Amino acid sequence: MAETLSLDFERNERQPLHEFTEKAYLNYSMYVILDRALPHIGDGLKPVQRRIIYAMSELGLKTGAKYKKSARTVGDVIGKYHPHGDSACYEAMVLMAQPFTYRYPLIDGQGNWGSMDDPKSFAAMRYTESRLTPYADSLLGELGQGTVDWLPNFDGTLNEPRLLPARLPNILLNGTTGIAVGMATDITPHNLREVTNACIRLLVSSNTTIDELCKYIKGPDFPTKAEIITPKSEIRAIYKTGHGSIKMRAVWEKDDGNIIITALPYQSSGGKILEQIANQMQAKKLPMLEDLRDESDHEDPVRLVLVPRSNRINLDELMSHLFATTDLECSYRVNLNMIGINGRPQVKDIKMVLREWLSYRTETVKRRLQFRLEKVLAQIHILQGLMIAYLSIDEVIAIIRQEENPKQVLMKRFKLSDLQAEAILELKLRKLAKLEEIRIKGELKALENERKTIDQILGSRQRLKTLIRKELEDDAKIFGNDRCSPLKEREEAKAINETDLIPTEPVTVILSDKGLVRAAKGHDIVPEELAYRPGDSFKSTACGRSNQNAVFLDSTGRCYALPAHLLPSARSLGEPVASRLNPPEGASFEGVMMGLPDSHYLLASDSGYGFIARLDDLITKNKSGKSIVSVPKGAKVLIPAAVNDMPSDQVAAVSSAGHFLVIRASELPVLPRGKGLKIINIPSAKLKAREEYVVAVTVIPAGSCLTVFAGQRKLVLKPKDIVAYTGERGRRGNLLPRGYRNVFRLKVTD
């Protein structure tokens, strides 16, 4: 037994695994590329589409025929020509029947074939019925005239056409999409009249440039009335390279103060678009919209109504935002990748596509004419034999009556061919009438004229071009129509800045000692009087608008930003700032800042150094913040203070030992980040040992008073009192009165 197995194994082919897998994958790849995913330039169809159309024609489902169940067609397709899944086959069939998917549908469907809002909502194939459209005849009309090659089907029991003899460049008219192994195709649909005019132009002059062809083919033409807003220069570049993208935008109009959307981009869903807009409204990103309605019906397939909140809303600006943030504006990839007449896939420019298709069409017409010529010559040959019989009818009858083998005798006597002799023997007695002889002479003359005409066309390249041109013009009159998708030049859509959508209300942001934050409406809030959690108290506050950022400064000198309108309400006890940010471990939040981008703030550390920074330089989107203040080891930053007027404002600093110094704010530099300059002098030994350090700094506007909080006591310094502590930057400063040297806070009052 083992010996037998060994002999069987030896007879098998041995092959390295890597070679086998490589060949197997390459074979699979070529199969997917050539037999499934990519269309052929000749008829513009993939194999499954071609087989569906051919199977329907074989079932007699041409224009004017009675509808038949789609399941009948699918059964024939997968049973005879395409042994794959019935659902995939039916879906391919559905796409060819949807007028909102195909520019020129190939199948006339009856029943539920899906809707523009949901193309995949079609009924099962057992419910729908179908037949071919008149346009499908442009693909099938010349099928039985020797125009194409035939191949055996998958089991060799039937023949199927390798390609269909398309009279029009369907590859561009309906377009297609597909994904193969290592390549894909995205061919947009085009207008039939424009494409045929370009074909005629190229037929007349083979030296026509792509720029000249673009005068005829202005751009894609989708089965929707939405606008194509891609610039002409970009469309021309697409046709030159064979790839790029096309952008479409919905069409809208104003009606009684409302926005009415009447056309959507190709394959866009009105329901999905309304959902996208509704989500923005729920997120409070569209406060200018009040209501949405879908009023689409059979008379108006697309009618979406957007109701603005007031008549003061800029509708053009609103629509520009919606174009930028929803599917009201869509981009479509263009990749003119197809199987050429050489049987190889290639990305082609528009001239190559038209030139190769014209080459395919020319060969098809030649084969059709040659096929007809052979038929005409065969008929002439038979009629010539019949005429010989009519001229000697009595002798022919005598031979037939008397001879045992009349066929051979006739062939020898009148020098006839086998076909002619057989035709004479098949004649019926009624055909021997004189009128029949006259009819044959007339038919023979007409056939001779037709033969002469065909010979002239086949012998003249110019006559052949004229014939192809006339057929293109005739088909354009039958199947052509006006452009659906208008070409417009529009400004680029811009989304409205989120901060511009937020109501600009005055807010006060409060930060507590424990790092809890909350925002209150208005600027008349007294933060000290708010309720705090046990063990917590007020630390810092800033006033601004709800559409501004609140900037937080932590003990390590890093700044963070949070939108003020997203902060919790002051009715609560607040939320930890750290829960929304990623501060360093052990860092605490020391202050909060708000204002316009060019607002200025005093930033300092308890080592006595500080500088002034623009608020715009402190804002960051990074949740980990960015380093602003350089803090010496062992020190920490102080609560920042707003600088309103650089020339007249003063900066006050007080140490833990009660040394108090007031300087001009203009003495400090304006920096985006850094350590700054020395504000008040503290002996380095005391600072290093933390025996003395800066407790607080603040900014005193001109004419304002300053309250010094020391333990349970407070000292109010009026402008005339502040003069006694004014000095140059970097000095030691003067001591505060006894009993007021244990300072923990400075507050500016009117």
Side-chain angles (χ1 to χ4, degrees):
M1 182 69 178
E3 194 173 312
T4 304
L5 289 174
S6 176
L7 291 173
D8 289 343
F9 181 77
E10 290 296 332
R11 285 197 294 267
N12 291 336
E13 179 185 358
R14 291 188 176 188
Q15 191 175 9
L17 181 61
H18 71 277
E19 290 184 10
F20 172 78
T21 53
E22 181 180 352
K23 289 180 180 178
Y25 189 72
L26 283 174
N27 290 337
Y28 166 73
S29 301
M30 292 305 297
Y31 167 73
V32 172
I33 291 170
L34 300 178
D35 292 335
R36 292 190 71 173
L38 298 190
H40 194 281
I41 195 170
D43 55 14
L45 299 175
K46 300 178 187 178
V48 64
Q49 297 169 329
R50 187 179 302 116
R51 287 161 177 166
I52 290 171
I53 299 302
Y54 175 66
M56 292 184 72
S57 70
E58 288 296 289
L59 285 170
L61 297 178
K62 295 190 176 181
T63 306
K66 184 180 178 181
Y67 291 95
K68 283 188 180 180
K69 288 289 184 181
S70 301
R72 174 74 183 277
T73 298
V74 173
D76 264 34
V77 172
I78 65 176
K80 294 180 178 179
Y81 310 109
H82 196 73
H84 296 279
D86 58 342
S87 59
C89 178
Y90 181 52
E91 188 167 340
M93 184 178 175
V94 168
L95 293 177
M96 292 190 287
Q98 292 178 337
F100 47 85
T101 299
Y102 263 47
R103 182 64 178 83
Y104 301 95
L106 296 168
I107 294 175
D108 177 13
Q110 185 170 266
N112 178 14
W113 289 81
S115 65
M116 186 184 300
D117 199 50
D118 187 5
K120 294 197 174 183
S121 61
F122 50 85
M125 57 184 168
R126 61 182 178 274
Y127 299 118
T128 60
E129 299 177 338
S130 58
R131 64 183 180 187
L132 294 172
T133 62
Y135 174 78
D137 188 57
S138 69
L139 301 175
L140 295 162
E142 301 173 356
L143 189 60
Q145 300 177 27
T147 51
V148 296
D149 296 327
W150 294 78
L151 302 172
N153 67 341
F154 64 92
D155 61 1
T157 58
L158 296 170
N159 287 330
E160 60 176 314
R162 189 175 71 88
L163 295 171
L164 296 183
R167 297 201 305 266
L168 291 167
N170 185 62
I171 187 74
L172 289 177
L173 301 185
N174 275 320
T176 190
T177 61
I179 300 175
V181 178
M183 60 179 64
T185 182
D186 291 278
I187 305 173
T188 54
H190 290 77
N191 185 270
L192 191 150
R193 290 176 180 170
E194 293 181 4
V195 173
T196 52
N197 288 336
C199 286
I200 292 170
R201 169 66 181 177
L202 193 59
L203 197 64
V204 172
S205 175
S206 60
N207 295 325
T208 304
T209 64
I210 293 179
D211 288 335
E212 290 172 335
L213 289 175
C214 288
K215 295 178 181 178
Y216 299 94
I217 303 178
K218 304 183 186 304
D221 187 22
F222 295 89
T224 171
K225 295 181 179 179
E227 300 172 346
I228 295 176
I229 62 170
T230 304
K232 293 181 180 179
S233 59
E234 292 186 19
I235 295 177
R236 191 162 298 178
I238 291 172
Y239 288 144
K240 287 181 178 180
T241 61
H243 56 80
S245 65
I246 293 292
K247 190 175 290 185
M248 293 194 78
R249 180 178 290 183
V251 176
W252 67 283
E253 59 189 27
K254 301 176 185 178
D255 183 15
D256 195 22
N258 296 334
I259 296 171
I260 310 297
I261 299 171
T262 57
L264 297 177
Y266 180 58
Q267 293 183 334
S268 291
S269 166
K272 182 180 178 181
I273 289 172
L274 289 180
E275 183 181 351
Q276 291 172 339
I277 299 174
N279 289 339
Q280 291 192 41
M281 293 174 67
Q282 290 176 359
K284 299 182 180 179
K285 294 182 179 180
L286 279 178
M288 63 281 289
L289 270 184
E290 183 177 4
D291 191 20
L292 305 171
R293 293 198 303 273
D294 186 356
E295 297 182 354
S296 305
D297 53 27
H298 292 291
E299 294 182 0
D300 298 309
V302 177
R303 184 179 171 84
L304 308 181
V305 182
L306 311 183
V307 182
R309 196 168 291 277
S310 71
N311 56 9
R312 295 188 299 273
I313 301 296
N314 187 332
L315 300 185
D316 293 314
E317 184 178 340
L318 172 60
M319 287 305 297
S320 179
H321 170 77
L322 293 177
F323 288 142
T325 58
T326 68
D327 288 345
L328 287 173
E329 181 177 301
C330 294
S331 292
Y332 304 90
R333 187 176 66 172
V334 179
N335 185 23
L336 302 181
N337 189 11
M338 61 196 74
I339 300 171
I341 55 176
N342 60 358
R344 297 179 179 178
Q346 183 185 1
V347 177
K348 306 177 185 294
D349 60 48
I350 193 69
K351 184 177 179 179
M352 288 180 64
V353 174
L354 296 179
R355 187 172 59 197
E356 286 198 27
W357 182 82
L358 284 172
S359 175
Y360 173 79
R361 179 61 186 157
T362 301
E363 184 62 28
T364 302
V365 173
K366 281 183 179 179
R367 293 181 64 167
R368 186 190 75 200
L369 292 173
Q370 189 63 43
F371 180 81
R372 178 57 187 165
L373 180 61
E374 292 173 0
K375 291 284 186 183
V376 168
L377 291 175
Q379 187 65 16
I380 289 174
H381 181 67
I382 292 173
L383 291 178
Q384 287 174 342
L386 292 178
M387 284 302 301
I388 292 173
Y390 278 111
L391 293 175
S392 306
I393 188 66
D394 294 333
E395 187 177 354
V396 169
I397 293 173
I399 291 173
I400 293 173
R401 291 186 62 188
Q402 297 171 5
E403 298 294 336
E404 294 183 1
N405 192 355
K407 184 176 181 180
Q408 295 297 327
V409 176
L410 288 172
M411 291 173 63
K412 184 177 181 180
R413 170 69 181 83
F414 299 105
K415 297 181 179 179
L416 300 175
S417 68
D418 185 87
L419 285 175
Q420 290 174 326
E422 190 67 32
I424 292 172
L425 293 174
E426 292 291 333
L427 273 176
K428 296 180 180 179
L429 290 175
R430 64 195 301 178
K431 295 285 186 178
L432 299 178
K434 185 67 176 175
L435 289 176
E436 188 67 20
E437 181 182 346
I438 297 173
R439 186 193 66 78
I440 290 175
K441 288 182 178 179
E443 185 179 350
L444 193 59
K445 183 179 180 180
L447 288 172
E448 284 289 349
N449 291 334
E450 185 179 355
R451 180 194 62 77
K452 183 179 180 182
T453 301
I454 294 175
D455 281 337
Q456 288 176 342
I457 294 174
L458 288 174
S460 170
R461 186 176 181 82
Q462 188 58 43
R463 288 176 184 269
L464 186 62
K465 287 184 177 181
T466 302
L467 175 62
I468 295 172
R469 176 177 180 173
K470 183 179 182 303
E471 291 177 349
L472 284 172
E473 290 173 345
D474 292 342
D475 285 339
K477 290 178 182 178
I478 297 172
F479 304 114
N481 52 21
D482 295 333
R483 169 174 280 275
C484 281
S485 305
L487 295 161
K488 301 286 184 180
E489 291 188 6
R490 302 291 186 188
E491 294 182 359
E492 186 177 353
K494 294 182 180 179
I496 301 174
N497 195 320
E498 188 174 340
T499 56
D500 296 337
L501 298 173
I502 302 164
T504 56
E505 301 173 342
V507 294
T508 301
V509 177
I510 302 103
L511 179 68
S512 73
D513 275 325
K514 299 292 186 183
L516 302 181
V517 66
R518 46 187 158 164
K521 292 183 179 180
H523 290 165
D524 54 352
I525 304 298
V526 182
E528 293 86 350
E529 296 179 359
L530 294 176
Y532 293 88
R533 294 184 183 181
D536 199 5
S537 60
F538 166 73
K539 186 166 194 175
S540 175
T541 185
C543 295
R545 311 291 295 184
S546 56
N547 62 340
Q548 295 174 344
N549 283 305
V551 180
F552 299 90
L553 179 66
D554 73 6
S555 56
T556 67
R558 300 184 72 83
C559 280
Y560 312 80
L562 289 175
H565 70 281
L566 297 179
L567 297 177
S569 171
R571 295 176 183 175
S572 66
L573 296 178
E575 293 180 7
V577 184
S579 65
R580 303 191 180 192
L581 303 170
N582 298 322
E585 187 175 353
S588 61
F589 289 94
E590 300 298 326
V592 61
M593 298 166 277
M594 286 190 72
L596 298 173
D598 58 351
S599 300
H600 290 79
Y601 269 85
L602 169 66
L603 303 180
S605 67
D606 63 5
S607 63
Y609 287 82
F611 62 94
I612 296 172
R614 289 180 70 253
L615 189 63
D616 194 40
D617 293 331
L618 310 181
I619 296 175
T620 175
K621 294 182 179 179
N622 192 344
K623 289 188 176 183
S624 297
K626 66 177 179 178
S627 180
I628 299 295
V629 183
S630 298
V631 183
K633 186 177 180 180
K636 69 173 186 177
V637 299
L638 300 173
I639 298 174
V643 180
N644 299 313
D645 188 1
M646 289 279 289
S648 61
D649 284 357
Q650 294 177 305
V651 173
V654 61
S655 73
S656 58
H659 287 273
F660 185 55
L661 177 65
V662 178
I663 65 172
R664 296 190 307 275
S666 57
E667 292 187 60
L668 295 177
V670 178
L671 302 173
R673 61 174 61 86
K675 181 179 179 181
L677 298 180
K678 185 179 288 187
I679 300 174
I680 184 172
N681 184 30
I682 298 176
S684 58
K686 290 186 176 183
L687 184 62
K688 189 174 182 181
R690 300 297 288 178
E691 293 177 3
E692 186 180 352
Y693 50 87
V694 178
V695 176
V697 293
T698 192
V699 177
I700 309 172
S704 297
C705 299
L706 182 67
T707 302
V708 179
F709 293 85
Q712 298 296 323
R713 307 172 71 180
K714 60 183 179 179
L715 174 66
V716 179
L717 298 176
K718 296 181 179 180
K720 62 180 181 179
D721 301 324
I722 294 173
V723 175
Y725 299 97
T726 303
E728 296 181 1
R729 181 187 59 78
R731 295 299 179 90
R732 182 71 167 135
N734 296 328
L735 282 170
L736 289 168
R738 290 183 180 276
Y740 296 98
R741 295 177 181 174
N742 188 22
V743 180
F744 68 90
R745 184 180 169 206
L746 300 175
K747 182 180 180 181
V748 176
T749 56
D750 295 332

